[in-house]
Each structure stands twice: as structure tokens, then as C-alpha cells.
Amino acid sequence: MAPHSDRNNTGGPTGMRVPEGARVLVARSPDRAGELVTALRRAGAEALLLPLIDFEQANDQHSLDVAFDALGAGAYTWLVISSVTTVQALEAKAAERGASLSNWLPGSILVATIGPATRRELESRGISVDLAPTGQQSGTGLLDIWPANQGSVLLPQADIADPRLRKGLEARGAAVQAVTAYNTVDYPADPRRALPAFPPAPPQATLSQGISPAGQDAPPTVLTTAEAKAEIGAGRLHAVVAASPSAARRIHADIGPLGTCRFVAIGRSTAAEAASLGLSVDAVAEEPTASGLVAAVVRSLDHQQPPPHPSAAEPSAKDTI
């Protein structure tokens, strides 16, 4: 096994290298995994994808429409956005009204968010972020810095969102209107109900959206659950990355047990969900970014020695199914 390198790989974590031959499974769809795939490759890993979850429009469009119109009319003091997918759902609502989200928001609104990816997405669309945790980048981190008695809050979320953020805001004196902005479903989403694609993003936002610049890298291999399970059983996958609690649940249900494959979580809530299912969590990203996840993968594999990449005489599961 080659030693870790100290050289800086442009665009990746400085000095971070995985052991030679490491193969990492990313439980995300191709349209959302580009930045992480690029960072893993620059750290020396072969990245493979396993799409497990997808997103559809909320079932209750009426409630979302009412809340969104109230938002545009200035009915709320704060808008709290906890994910890039929420931005996508709200941008779609604005497009239905012939506007962009930045133009729909009143000048009086204050915007809070969680995590650097969501902040970048908002700022790339001309939306200023007024409050975001800099330490623990999670709902708990936001609650730690939330000012007391700050008026009304619109909280658009996934249908399976943890209620603790809403309850925590209410405990701090906020009048919270929580509304389902999108549904989390098994991959792939029903094309008739899939969230509309984002409008074209500015060039500087391309990587933060998870879209690799054209021609930068070859598309990663996308596995089915059967193929991923076979690869894990053969010891040919060395780490799997989960970017949400729902992804952790699907990893456990669809491709467990993981054997020697290391489980890497994007944050504490994902790690807690995995642990509750009996999965051994080998590393948790210190920040929910591509660099943070790569650093966690490196830590998880630090004492593991992956075997050589399967040769032509030993085809992978992809080749045999």
C-alpha cells in the first residue's frame, strides 16, 4: 500500500490521500455527487455511485402555495432553509409565478441556513444569508445561535424532516410555520412528480451544485443495489459515504451488512441514524462539505489496506450482472 502523500491536489483537501486502490461508494445520484466524486478522485480514490433516494414535489401543493405567497407578501420575519433541495423546491415555486426566488423574497426577510453547500447555493442566486452556524453545521448548531423572540419563521422542509429544528425554534420564542417543500422517495423519482431542474447556475456555482465542468472527468460508474451488495461481499468496496439519515437507512436496508466496508457519515444526525440501525460508524465529517467527507474517508481507511483493483481475470460485479 502506498503511503499517504503530502502533496496538494488542486481542488481537494491539502495532503489528503487514500490508500492505493481504495474504492469508495457514494450513496448519491449523479446530478448531486459531482463535487464529491471530483474530490475523492483527487485524493486517489475510485468513486462509484449508488443512487438510493430522490426527491419529488410535495403532495400538499396547496399548503406550500399558501405559505410561499405569504412569504412573498412579507408575512414572515425569517426564512429558514436547511438543504439545497429546499432551495430547488422554492425556486420551482418562484418559476411558477414567473419570478426567481431572489426576486420573490421581500427586502425585509431574514434568511438562515445550515451548511456551506446551501449557503453557496443561495448566495449564487443573489440571496444573502443573515444567519448560519460556523461551528456545528446542523439544526442544533443553528439553534445554538438563534436569537430569542425573533418573530415569525417559515420553515420549508422535507416530508421526513426531523421535528427537532421546528420545536427548538418554537422553544426560543419563534412562531414557526413548517410546511413540506418536497418528498423524499426511492430512486428514481417519478418523472411526473420530480422536482423541476434548477435554472442554469452561474459559472462559479457549478461545483457547489454537484455538477462537474464539462469534460473535466469521466462519469463515475453507477451501481445497482445488487451490484453494490456483490462488491461489498467480495471485499472490493472499502468505504461507503452517506450524506443524509435517509441514505443511512437505505444503505442498511439495501446493501447491509457492510462487512469490512467502512461507513462514513456527513454529519452527526446521519451518524446517529446509522448507529441506531446497528451500523458501525467509522468516521464522521467535521464539516458537511466535499473536503470534509474526503478527510473522513481518509481517516476511516487509515489503517485499512485495500486489495489491488480487480483485474481483468477477476471481473467486478458490474461485469457479471
Side-chain angles (χ1 to χ4, degrees):
M1 181 179 66
H4 296 310
S5 169
D6 291 327
R7 68 178 180 273
N8 179 17
N9 297 278
T10 303
T14 303
M16 287 292 179
R17 297 290 292 178
V18 298
E20 184 177 351
R23 305 176 79 221
V24 179
L25 185 66
V26 178
R28 297 192 104 174
S29 56
D31 62 316
R32 293 172 180 268
E35 186 178 12
L36 179 54
V37 167
T38 298
L40 285 167
R41 285 173 169 174
R42 287 172 177 164
E46 178 186 357
L48 303 96
L49 302 185
L50 176 63
L52 292 174
I53 60 173
D54 211 342
F55 308 101
E56 294 180 355
Q57 299 174 48
N59 292 334
D60 185 358
Q61 287 292 301
H62 175 71
S63 294
L64 181 56
D65 282 331
V66 170
F68 193 75
D69 288 337
L71 173 66
Y76 303 102
T77 308
W78 284 90
L79 172 64
V80 176
I81 298 181
S82 58
S83 71
V84 170
T85 308
T86 301
V87 182
Q88 184 178 3
L90 296 184
E91 195 73 80
K93 279 294 159 194
E96 291 175 5
R97 290 152 175 79
S100 66
L101 181 58
S102 62
N103 290 333
W104 186 258
L105 296 178
S108 60
I109 195 73
L110 297 170
V111 177
T113 189
I114 300 167
T118 306
R119 180 169 193 154
R120 287 198 305 267
E121 193 60 62
L122 289 166
E123 291 177 341
S124 76
R125 297 176 183 281
I127 300 170
S128 298
V129 174
D130 300 285
L131 187 67
T134 56
Q136 184 179 345
Q137 295 171 7
S138 65
T140 300
L142 181 61
L143 291 173
D144 286 343
I145 62 172
W146 188 266
N149 302 314
Q150 286 291 302
S152 57
V153 175
L154 178 61
L155 179 61
Q157 294 180 299
D159 57 322
I160 59 172
D162 191 321
R164 285 179 291 183
L165 178 56
R166 173 183 59 80
K167 292 178 180 178
L169 292 170
E170 291 172 340
R172 286 157 178 76
V176 181
Q177 174 66 53
V179 62
T180 299
Y182 61 92
N183 288 355
T184 304
V185 299
D186 291 346
Y187 184 88
D190 183 339
R192 297 167 297 180
R193 296 192 54 79
L195 286 178
F198 268 135
Q204 66 270 22
T206 303
L207 280 181
S208 70
Q209 266 188 240
I211 304 172
S212 297
Q216 184 184 33
D217 289 308
T221 299
V222 179
L223 302 182
T224 65
T225 53
E227 292 166 347
K229 195 172 180 67
E231 292 287 281
I232 288 171
R236 290 192 290 256
L237 287 176
H238 309 109
V240 58
V241 175
S244 67
S246 53
R249 289 191 291 271
R250 289 296 307 276
I251 288 169
H252 174 262
D254 293 355
I255 62 173
L258 296 181
T260 60
C261 183
R262 308 300 178 89
F263 183 94
V264 177
I266 194 172
R268 296 184 185 180
S269 60
T270 301
E273 182 67 23
S276 73
L277 297 168
L279 291 172
S280 176
V281 178
D282 295 283
V284 181
E286 294 181 0
E287 58 178 19
T289 62
S291 293
L293 280 167
V294 170
V297 168
V298 170
R299 291 197 305 274
S300 76
L301 298 180
D302 193 41
H303 302 294
Q304 187 182 36
Q305 298 191 19
H309 187 283
S311 66
E314 185 185 10
S316 68
K318 183 75 174 177
D319 300 320
T320 60
I321 294 179

